[in-house]
């Protein structure tokens, strides 16, 4: 069996130990953690995780966004309070084998979808809780989680670290 390809992964955060610990699950990840002020772009990284930070996402790259702020590539159309999970695309590689029944999300941003977006995990009225977007002209690919995982029960579930690993696998 050939060795796994090493992945250069960047985490942009003010501090999220749940996310940082989940990125250590894959032995082939070379992790760099930076604050939003230190962020210089996605160049040199296979995947950039952005945790609740308003940073420049205009350059080509692969991004995983947690609670993306206004003003970035995702338009906010309001807030969902205590959204329950209503639908999961169980065959999508991001969530294969995972359940979100006890996600316990306190609030989520109601993100607008565009043509070609995939809603992987939906809340009330199909609102995306986890979605993907391919921006071919900008050479960007996104996974967006529409809520702050620290304000949910997801990090204490087996589903969260596996979601992070699945995102890495999906990009690879």
């Amino acid at each position: 069996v050939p060795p796994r390809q090493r992945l250069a992964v960047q985490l942009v955060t003010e501090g999220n130990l749940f996310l940082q610990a989940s990125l250590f699950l894959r032995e082939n990840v070379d992790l760099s953690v930076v604050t939003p002020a230190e962020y210089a772009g996605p160049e040199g990284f296979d995947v950039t995780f952005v945790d609740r930070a308003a940073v420049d996402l205009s350059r080509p790259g692969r991004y995983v966004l947690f609670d993306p702020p206004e003003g970035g590539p995702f338009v906010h159309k309001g807030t969902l309070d205590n959204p329950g999970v209503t639908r999961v695309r169980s065959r999508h590689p991001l969530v294969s084998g995972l359940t979100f029944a006890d996600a316990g999300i306190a609030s989520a941003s109601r993100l607008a979808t565009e043509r070609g977006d995939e809603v992987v995990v939906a809340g009330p009225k199909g609102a995306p809780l986890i979605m993907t977007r391919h921006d071919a002209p900008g050479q960007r690919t996104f996974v967006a989680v529409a809520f702050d995982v620290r304000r949910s029960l997801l990090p204490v579930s087996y589903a969260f670290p596996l979601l992070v690993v699945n995102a890495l696998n999906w990009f690879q």
Side-chain angles (χ1 to χ4, degrees):
V1 175
R4 281 187 173 179
Q5 174 189 355
R6 303 242 11 121
L7 291 173
V9 176
Q10 176 176 220
L11 171 60
V12 182
T13 184
E14 291 290 350
N16 184 335
L17 293 177
F18 293 117
L19 185 51
Q20 194 168 345
S22 295
L23 287 166
F24 282 119
L25 288 178
R26 290 268 310 259
E27 69 280 352
N28 64 325
V29 168
D30 294 325
L31 181 63
S32 297
V33 181
V34 298
T35 65
E38 298 168 326
Y39 175 72
E43 294 81 8
F45 294 97
D46 297 304
V47 182
T48 297
F49 284 74
V50 180
D51 175 44
R52 299 172 14 107
V55 295
D56 179 16
L57 302 173
S58 64
R59 291 184 275 195
R62 300 178 198 162
Y63 300 93
V64 180
L65 309 177
F66 287 87
D67 197 17
E70 285 272 7
F74 292 90
V75 175
H76 289 232
K77 295 176 19 182
T79 303
L80 301 165
D81 292 321
N82 299 310
V85 173
T86 59
R87 183 176 47 85
V88 176
R89 279 203 160 145
S90 58
R91 292 193 176 155
H92 194 283
L94 283 176
V95 295
S96 180
L98 305 181
T99 60
F100 294 88
D102 298 326
I105 302 165
S107 68
S109 298
R110 184 182 293 273
L111 301 178
T113 56
E114 296 179 356
R115 185 175 192 193
D117 289 353
E118 269 190 279
V119 177
V120 180
V121 178
K125 298 182 181 177
L129 297 175
I130 300 174
M131 65 184 288
T132 64
R133 175 176 293 166
H134 296 286
D135 172 28
Q139 299 176 0
R140 301 177 301 169
T141 304
F142 296 98
V143 171
V145 178
F147 56 94
D148 180 359
V149 294
R150 293 172 293 187
R151 298 194 62 225
S152 74
L153 295 177
L154 196 56
V156 296
S157 162
Y158 76 93
F160 181 67
L162 292 177
L163 172 67
V164 170
V165 168
N166 285 351
L168 290 171
N169 291 339
W170 185 67
F171 281 124
Q172 197 174 22

